[in-house]
Amino acid sequence: SLEGKAAVDPSIGWYEAEMGFFDGYVIPLAKKLKDCGVFGVASDEYLAYALENRREWEMKGKEESQGMLLRASIALGFPTLSDDQEDSMSLMASTQSLAESDFPI
């Protein structure tokens, strides 16, 4: 039990939530800044950075999320997966990534 903590585990859907944040907030804001020209040529850079950060999160975000969760679990003394469990999780994640790239929705 995590008394005094959130009722919902924030790591569930973390990757997807960040993708939604890029798509629903960061990129539209960068486009609006570019359209209004308030920052001049820097607005083009802001949009390019936002799009590149989204691409990087799309490629590395699931792995980064798992790594952050593991580091936090270790730091807080929570149980972590055994090496065999981690290998299985990694294999499942790789298989899922391959399936998603082969069959985009």
Side-chain angles (χ1 to χ4, degrees):
S1 166
L2 297 175
E3 293 179 24
K5 307 295 182 207
V8 177
D9 182 348
S11 68
I12 298 171
W14 195 347
Y15 168 82
E16 292 82 5
E18 289 300 311
M19 292 294 290
F21 181 64
F22 278 113
D23 293 341
Y25 183 76
V26 174
I27 293 170
L29 177 60
K31 286 179 180 178
K32 287 179 185 177
L33 290 173
K34 181 181 177 189
D35 291 345
C36 74
V38 70
F39 292 110
V41 295
S43 298
D44 292 333
E45 292 176 12
Y46 299 152
L47 178 56
Y49 292 145
L51 292 169
E52 179 57 32
N53 286 341
R54 187 206 182 279
R55 277 190 292 273
E56 187 170 353
W57 183 258
E58 187 174 19
M59 290 186 317
K60 300 177 183 177
K62 287 181 182 178
E63 185 177 324
E64 289 295 325
S65 296
Q66 290 172 349
M68 286 187 284
L69 182 58
L70 178 61
R71 288 188 300 276
S73 295
I74 290 168
L76 295 170
F78 294 148
T80 58
L81 299 174
S82 69
D83 289 342
D84 289 341
Q85 289 171 317
E86 286 185 39
D87 290 344
S88 295
M89 293 291 286
S90 178
L91 179 60
M92 287 189 317
S94 297
T95 304
Q96 182 179 5
S97 292
L98 288 173
E100 288 171 356
S101 65
D102 290 341
F103 304 103
I105 296 175

